[in-house]
Amino acid sequence: MAWRSQLSRNLKELRILFCQTSPSSASARSFVEQNYKDLKTLNPKFPILIRECRGIEPQIWARYDMGVERGIRLEGLTEPQILKALEDLVKAEGSKP
């Protein structure tokens, strides 16, 4: 998974939003618990923002050059599917959807 070390090369910022207690955010919480340390170790200066807010729909947002942002809703996705969604965002390099 070489793309994991490419976060700072292709993105300017990564934001993960989820609810602390909602069942719909369970896989997003699990994803953060299982992957944050590894992603941060591979990209120590890259901003990975974790935003917890009661009742919010789980989402992941990537910001690219020139302020371009792309987001993906995570509700109903499994942890491996969230990892694949992140990989797709990293490899998209800010191209228009």
Side-chain angles (χ1 to χ4, degrees):
M1 292 191 209
W3 64 267
R4 287 176 171 236
S5 60
Q6 302 290 322
L7 292 183
S8 58
R9 177 176 290 163
N10 297 338
L11 305 176
K12 296 297 179 190
E13 177 184 272
L14 181 67
R15 291 187 312 275
I16 303 172
L17 297 79
F18 58 86
C19 175
Q20 305 96 314
T21 58
S22 167
S24 65
S25 290
S27 59
R29 287 191 304 271
S30 178
F31 172 80
V32 169
E33 290 170 1
Q34 300 298 320
N35 294 283
Y36 178 83
K37 184 177 179 182
D38 184 41
L39 291 172
K40 197 62 180 173
T41 300
L42 292 170
N43 304 277
K45 295 183 180 181
F46 180 73
I48 300 174
L49 309 175
I50 308 301
R51 299 291 183 244
E52 298 174 311
C53 181
R54 187 185 332 217
I56 195 167
E57 179 181 305
Q59 305 169 43
I60 191 166
W61 285 89
R63 185 168 54 86
Y64 303 90
D65 281 329
M66 308 294 288
V68 174
E69 291 191 353
R70 295 184 67 196
I72 297 177
R73 293 180 179 180
L74 304 177
E75 188 170 0
L77 297 183
T78 64
E79 195 176 324
Q81 290 172 323
I82 293 172
L83 192 62
K84 176 66 174 136
L86 175 57
E87 179 180 3
D88 292 344
L89 287 173
V90 171
K91 291 180 177 179
E93 297 184 28
S95 59
K96 295 193 178 196

